Amino acid sequence: MKTMTYANNAPHKPATVLITGATGGFGGAFARRFAAIGSKLVLAGRKADRLKALRDELNTEVHTIEVDVRDRTAIEQAFGTLPAGFDEVETLINNAGLALGTDPAQKADLDDWETMIDTNDKGLVFCTRALLPGMIERGRGHVVNIGSTAGSYPYPGGNVYCASKAFVKQFSLSLRADLQGTGVRVTNVEPGMVETDFSLVRFKGDAEKAGKVYADTTPLTPDDVAEAVFWAATLPPHFNVNRLEIMPTTQAFGPLAIHRTK
């Protein structure tokens, strides 16, 4: 294992960035932000047509992978056989994730729970584990996990979604402990309310319900989150951002709930 040394204040340009969930709102914003500085991109997602459209839009070298992060064997195969020029992934952005439903735990759909755990947690660790050995061997790398404020601040109906993002937070911090001295950085970016198709997915296509989430307020945008990720990833390599929690100005913390008999 070799450890790289850098000028203390030199900005960093990741040579190759791999983004999971690349066909969603966050994924597209991340891809455009890193393409703007000429990083090579590996875009992983489940929808081939959207991957192609994004690839054709970007003015940089792009390799696409049609894959579901829940499929451990497929991830190991795809990430282990990246073509020359894309095989030294420097920055992994674990972005694939979702929320499903807002029913209380006693009424929640177990299939929804399983899908969230498989995607938000198991998929994230499959992708991370596939690329870590190469990063460590090269003495450089950065794992950027997309967490959520839900991982710190639970809310009614959040149950497994909140728990899955708490896992992402603790996994990120534990990675930092394991990777000390390797030259590999780890960052958990934790957005609050952001207007994407997140709520449309959560409410399984119910546009009216999804729209109410963002009504009469000013949420963050995918570009806002992309700027936060880009900032953390382009800092000099001696500088690690452990956690970056971001919210729109219109959002804050609620009071603790108290049940009253009258």
Side-chain angles (χ1 to χ4, degrees):
M1 180 183 73
K2 56 184 179 180
T3 301
M4 307 294 289
T5 58
Y6 303 84
N8 280 346
N9 295 314
H12 180 62
K13 170 187 168 181
T16 303
V17 179
L18 191 155
I19 304 168
T20 68
T23 56
F26 280 7
F30 299 157
R32 295 179 189 99
R33 192 65 184 88
F34 284 97
I37 62 168
S39 297
K40 294 181 182 179
L41 299 177
V42 180
L43 305 179
R46 294 183 299 160
K47 300 175 181 177
D49 56 338
R50 291 192 184 182
L51 286 172
K52 181 182 184 303
L54 184 58
R55 181 190 65 201
D56 293 346
E57 171 193 339
L58 300 171
N59 187 27
T60 193
E61 295 181 64
V62 177
H63 174 67
T64 61
I65 304 172
E66 184 182 357
V67 70
D68 188 328
V69 296
R70 296 175 294 177
D71 188 333
R72 174 178 170 178
T73 300
I75 288 294
E76 291 172 348
Q77 171 67 19
F79 288 17
T81 57
L82 292 169
F86 295 94
D87 54 342
E88 294 190 0
V89 173
E90 187 167 351
T91 300
L92 165 64
I93 304 177
N94 278 315
N95 168 62
L98 78 168
L100 292 171
T102 56
D103 287 334
Q106 67 273 22
K107 296 181 180 179
D109 186 324
L110 272 175
D111 289 338
D112 287 349
W113 279 8
E114 189 171 33
T115 298
M116 286 186 279
I117 293 168
D118 285 349
T119 306
N120 300 353
D121 297 336
K122 291 171 67 177
L124 182 144
V125 301
F126 294 161
C127 295
T128 302
R129 183 61 179 81
L131 293 178
L132 269 184
M135 291 182 178
I136 293 170
E137 177 63 26
R138 292 186 293 274
R140 66 184 188 278
H142 197 168
V143 178
V144 180
N145 294 325
I146 305 303
S148 171
T149 55
S152 298
Y153 313 113
Y155 53 84
N159 42 68
V160 165
Y161 177 70
C162 293
S164 73
K165 290 302 185 177
F167 173 93
V168 173
K169 177 172 67 176
Q170 283 301 115
F171 180 66
S172 300
L173 294 173
S174 296
L175 277 180
R176 281 281 291 130
D178 286 347
L179 295 173
Q180 183 182 20
T182 66
V184 179
R185 300 188 286 177
V186 183
T187 298
N188 190 35
V189 177
E190 305 169 15
M193 179 185 286
V194 188
E195 187 167 6
T196 65
D197 59 359
F198 174 87
S199 291
L200 192 63
V201 172
R202 180 170 222 167
F203 295 118
K204 301 181 180 178
D206 189 326
E208 184 178 356
K209 277 188 177 181
K212 288 179 180 178
V213 174
Y214 311 109
D216 304 317
T217 191
T218 306
L220 296 176
T221 70
D223 288 340
D224 294 330
V225 180
E227 198 61 34
V229 169
F230 182 83
W231 173 72
T234 55
L235 288 167
H238 74 283
F239 188 152
N240 191 92
V241 178
N242 297 333
R243 294 177 58 203
L244 182 57
E245 181 182 287
I246 57 177
M247 284 183 174
T249 307
T250 56
Q251 185 179 27
F253 316 105
L256 292 174
I258 300 173
H259 173 71
R260 302 184 189 277
T261 57
K262 293 185 180 179

